[in-house]
Amino acid sequence: MLRIIAFISGLICLVCACNNDLATIGQEMINNNNYIGEESITISNTATIKADSFITSCGLHPSEYITQLVMGKYEDEYSGTTVATPCFQVAPSTVLTLPNNAVLDSMTLNFTYAGNLWGDTLYNVKLQKFDLYQLKEFPELNYDDDAFYYNTQPINKGKLLASTEFYPFRSNLAKAHFKIDQEVGEDLFERMMYRRNKEDDIYDSGTTGNFSYYNFLQYFKGLAIVAHPDNNCLMTIHALSDSLYMQFHYSVNGTSSTLRFPLTQKEYQYNQIINTPTTTFQSLTDQEQEVTFEEAKVAFTQGLCGYMTKLTLPEAPRYDKYMTIIKAQLEIKPDFMYNNPIAPPNTINVYTTNDLNEFTGLLYNNSKSTVTGVLVKNDQNTDDTRYIFDMTEYYQNLSAAPPTNQGQQILLSVPNDGYSSKGISFDQMVILEAPILRVYYAKYK
């Protein structure tokens, strides 16, 4: 028995230390019937599904507020056309007492690029155009749903306040801003200089309802940044009070000054994200529906649009008592190229699901470790780039106590896809070959 244990321990060390062909490990050293075998199982039960709606706000959870908003439009051959419109509020943090001889020069909305841009900025650079609208209605909070806004939240646009345009390069984005309609600026500025009676004073700093400057937010209900139809980029901007703000530029007796109204009321911020699918996936109007890999010849997962890949994992191989699983991994070969306008994500999240394609939890290897896909690039041969999902312990546990039902159904999702407020991603994993489960086992006898 001690010899058998020592043999298995040695094999495991070899497997962990090497990513090459495991079937050849130790063959020259083993002179009996002991060996490492490999079994490859093609996962034919593969499909694409689409979340019909997903959260794009923090609701009543300000400790997990959104730190980025996304704006723009992009058309992709797999996901179709995606349009993102950020909605948010600005308000005074303090109100200065302005002298009656102050003169408004201009008012701007300043935003700061957050470092994520999806689109072709190498071969098809286009001028990106955006309009800034004042919201006509203040968004309502649905307290029965924890006050979350979803990607399908409507936008009640009011007056067009400004337009801007720029080429999608970092240097241009650093200078981009909106110059707001002068009439709107004069109205807000004069109300600061000449404070009216309490009923009509929009700068009363008292708290009414859930927030300060209630009167201002009822008068100036918020803003939306809307992309023009011919744009071809999506980009992120910081949703922080020092990065997204409305600014008054004014002078007093020839001395220039500025006054900021910063981003406020994070629970009312959200992204409206509308995706119009390609013909291949236009049937995905409900999350329960699927388009199989067999019929589409492709499956994919992509952030911001709600697309996810669904797999039914094979059952654990039923080996005899002299065979032990020493490694199991799911391999997915993505359609990959460098400088792709839509980058592949570095990791893929794995969720358990059911026949209705609902999220039922994360897939775990053990009580502390979730299964995650990791992009492993091959710089010498991009065709060999693939996602590796280590499922060793998952299949070892299944093999020890095999279930009687069918294999586990899972959903593959891009991290921070609207289900988390920590960030957003339009990254995409495109699958043109059926995924494979590779099981390596040791036979000792």
Side-chain angles (χ1 to χ4, degrees):
M1 178 60 71
L2 291 176
R3 293 177 61 191
I4 293 175
I5 293 174
F7 170 73
I8 296 298
S9 299
L11 289 179
I12 292 174
C13 291
L14 284 171
V15 169
C16 294
C18 182
N19 289 322
N20 296 320
D21 185 4
L22 298 183
T24 64
I25 293 176
Q27 291 301 297
E28 296 177 359
M29 297 183 293
I30 301 173
N31 298 316
N32 51 28
N33 291 327
N34 299 317
Y35 67 93
I36 292 178
E38 173 189 342
E39 184 174 351
S40 297
I41 305 171
T42 300
I43 304 178
S44 56
N45 197 344
T46 300
T48 301
I49 70 120
K50 183 182 181 184
D52 39 31
S53 65
F54 49 89
I55 295 170
T56 59
S57 68
C58 65
L60 297 178
H61 303 279
S63 62
E64 298 188 7
Y65 58 83
I66 293 175
T67 59
Q68 294 180 9
L69 295 167
V70 60
M71 64 186 198
K73 170 184 173 289
Y74 188 80
E75 184 175 356
D76 172 70
E77 64 176 306
Y78 297 109
S79 60
T81 302
T82 302
V83 179
T85 305
C87 298
F88 53 93
Q89 283 68 42
V90 294
S93 54
T94 59
V95 176
L96 299 179
T97 302
L98 298 176
N100 291 348
N101 62 340
V103 177
L104 178 69
D105 298 321
S106 63
M107 185 171 71
T108 59
L109 179 80
N110 296 62
F111 58 90
T112 307
Y113 175 53
N116 298 305
L117 189 146
W118 299 275
D120 190 348
T121 59
L122 289 178
Y123 308 107
N124 185 26
V125 182
K126 296 178 65 175
L127 200 63
Q128 306 298 300
K129 301 178 182 180
F130 294 91
D131 292 329
L132 179 68
Y133 283 89
Q134 186 176 352
L135 295 180
K136 187 182 294 185
E137 296 295 336
F138 200 79
E140 293 185 9
L141 293 176
N142 180 2
Y143 291 97
D144 292 335
D145 190 26
D146 235 3
F148 284 121
Y149 292 123
Y150 290 76
N151 65 303
T152 52
Q153 176 75 22
I155 299 174
N156 196 341
K157 293 186 298 185
K159 183 176 182 178
L160 174 63
L161 299 182
S163 297
T164 190
E165 58 183 33
F166 51 83
Y167 285 101
F169 300 118
R170 185 178 291 272
S171 58
N172 295 341
L173 283 162
K175 299 180 291 185
H177 64 276
F178 290 95
K179 185 175 181 179
I180 295 176
D181 180 82
Q182 189 71 12
E183 182 180 342
V184 173
E186 293 284 359
D187 173 62
L188 295 175
F189 193 71
E190 288 179 4
R191 285 173 178 270
M192 277 189 280
M193 285 197 298
Y194 309 111
R195 300 290 291 275
R196 307 186 180 190
N197 59 61
K198 190 171 181 63
E199 290 73 22
D200 197 32
D201 183 5
I202 66 172
Y203 295 111
D204 177 15
S205 61
T207 300
T208 302
N210 297 319
F211 42 81
S212 301
Y213 293 103
Y214 177 86
N215 290 345
F216 178 83
L217 287 169
Q218 291 301 311
Y219 184 76
F220 196 87
K221 296 179 173 64
L223 298 164
I225 300 177
V226 180
H228 276 223
D230 55 350
N231 284 16
N232 69 339
C233 286
L234 288 167
M235 63 197 72
T236 55
I237 58 175
H238 286 297
L240 302 170
S241 59
D242 62 350
S243 303
L244 184 58
Y245 53 87
M246 193 163 64
Q247 184 159 265
F248 297 85
H249 306 263
Y250 68 97
S251 59
V252 179
N253 296 328
T255 301
S256 298
S257 298
T258 59
L259 173 63
R260 289 184 180 183
F261 284 10
L263 186 72
T264 188
Q265 301 308 125
K266 293 183 178 296
E267 65 267 33
Y268 290 90
Q269 299 165 23
Y270 66 95
N271 281 300
Q272 184 196 64
I273 302 173
I274 303 299
N275 173 262
T276 304
T278 61
T279 302
T280 303
F281 297 102
Q282 64 184 4
S283 62
L284 299 179
T285 56
D286 187 276
Q287 192 161 324
E288 297 181 26
Q289 296 166 330
E290 304 175 8
V291 173
T292 66
F293 180 82
E294 184 179 12
E295 62 180 301
K297 308 304 180 188
V298 64
F300 72 102
T301 178
Q302 186 165 10
L304 296 181
C305 338
Y307 291 99
M308 288 169 282
T309 302
K310 181 178 182 180
L311 306 177
T312 299
L313 295 174
E315 297 181 37
R318 300 179 186 275
Y319 299 132
D320 63 39
K321 62 181 180 179
Y322 297 108
M323 299 173 72
T324 302
I325 294 175
I326 56 174
K327 188 172 184 178
Q329 61 185 34
L330 172 65
E331 296 184 9
I332 294 180
K333 183 179 177 182
D335 184 27
F336 176 81
M337 68 177 74
Y338 286 103
N339 298 322
N340 195 317
I342 309 299
N346 290 323
T347 59
I348 293 289
N349 288 348
V350 184
Y351 298 90
T352 59
T353 188
N354 53 28
D355 290 338
L356 300 179
N357 300 329
E358 299 170 323
F359 288 92
T360 57
L362 291 165
L363 184 69
Y364 282 84
N365 254 324
N366 54 47
S367 59
K368 297 181 180 180
S369 172
T370 59
V371 176
T372 302
V374 178
L375 182 64
V376 180
K377 298 178 182 178
N378 186 327
D379 294 329
Q380 282 71 43
N381 180 13
T382 57
D383 287 341
D384 193 43
T385 295
R386 62 197 64 222
Y387 285 93
I388 302 296
F389 301 74
D390 183 3
M391 308 185 78
T392 303
E393 291 186 52
Y394 174 81
Y395 272 100
Q396 286 174 340
N397 293 335
L398 280 187
S399 181
T404 56
N405 57 352
Q406 64 176 4
Q408 174 67 58
Q409 298 179 98
I410 60 172
L411 293 175
L412 307 183
S413 171
V414 172
N416 302 325
D417 170 60
Y419 305 101
S420 166
S421 61
K422 296 177 182 177
I424 49 181
S425 173
F426 193 60
D427 290 348
Q428 177 190 73
M429 177 182 69
V430 178
I431 305 170
L432 299 178
E433 297 181 14
I436 293 175
L437 176 69
R438 298 192 192 279
V439 180
Y440 302 95
Y441 57 89
K443 181 176 181 180
Y444 55 96
K445 189 178 180 182

